[in-house]
Amino acid sequence: MGPIETDAGRLLADVDGPLIAVGDVVTYHLLQAGRQPDVALVDERTKREAVDEEIRRTVTEDTTIEAVNPPAGISENVIEALIEGLSSDEPTTILVEGEEDLMALPAIVVAPNGASVVYGQPDEGMVHVTITDDHRADVRSLLDRFEGDTERFWTLLESVDTDASSTNG
């Protein structure tokens, strides 16, 4: 959905606005480069294996919210945590029990235009999506094909004003 970058410093040079990080290793690299994400979603795992202790300790140090999300799914609980994080005036780290892998998708839908969503591409680097209406439309089309209570899902996401959803950036 965006360019892949292996250097967090170079990636951050292109960030202008709120920053949402999805994944422990991505969050770790952004923190090491000197930028705390406005919202970070972590689950203490990478490629379905536990992250090393330094990464775990670093990315969970400022945990603000805990949420539960099943593997290969998107729960109401984690959506509510994402919305809460975006509306906070302070950086928010969401520690997910389960898996946060798919959370880049709803993050793209609810992030304001110009915000950055960064997620990991295993064995390649960090994908940087600068949010536009086109990105939002592409992700909505993809999410419409998901199974589950999509009506409730869209109701939750549409409650967010994407022009003003983040005040902490």
Side-chain angles (χ1 to χ4, degrees):
M1 297 221 56
I4 295 177
E5 181 59 71
T6 57
D7 182 278
R10 280 198 303 261
L11 184 149
L12 287 169
D14 293 329
V15 171
D16 183 27
L19 175 61
I20 302 166
V22 179
D24 297 67
V25 175
V26 167
T27 301
Y28 178 79
H29 286 297
L30 295 171
L31 289 167
Q32 293 301 106
R35 172 74 192 267
Q36 182 171 6
D38 297 291
V39 177
L41 292 113
V42 298
D43 64 4
E44 300 180 323
R45 305 187 72 71
T46 184
K47 297 192 273 187
R48 300 222 162 104
E49 300 290 329
V51 294
D52 71 41
E53 183 58 26
E54 179 186 349
I55 292 174
R56 188 201 65 76
R57 189 175 48 253
T58 301
V59 302
T60 62
E61 181 177 42
D62 293 322
T63 297
T64 311
I65 302 171
E66 293 185 16
V68 177
N69 191 62
I74 301 172
S75 71
E76 184 171 339
N77 184 237
V78 78
I79 292 292
E80 290 170 343
L82 173 63
I83 292 168
E84 182 179 339
L86 285 167
S87 66
S88 176
D89 290 334
E90 299 296 323
T92 302
T93 298
I94 302 166
L95 177 58
V96 177
E97 179 184 326
E99 190 175 277
E100 57 18 21
D101 295 7
L102 291 176
M103 288 306 298
L105 299 173
I108 289 168
V109 172
V110 299
N113 281 335
S116 292
V117 174
V118 180
Y119 61 92
Q121 184 68 39
D123 301 318
E124 292 188 43
M126 299 171 280
V127 179
H128 178 201
V129 182
T130 303
I131 304 304
T132 65
D133 288 336
D134 288 342
H135 286 116
R136 221 177 262 114
D138 290 346
V139 170
R140 282 179 178 275
S141 176
L142 176 64
L143 288 169
D144 278 337
R145 297 192 299 257
F146 277 48
E147 295 178 7
D149 188 354
T150 54
E151 185 175 322
R152 177 68 181 142
F153 177 77
W154 288 118
T155 299
L156 286 168
L157 291 183
E158 289 167 358
S159 69
V160 178
D161 176 1
T162 58
D163 291 327
S165 63
S166 181
T167 58
N168 61 3

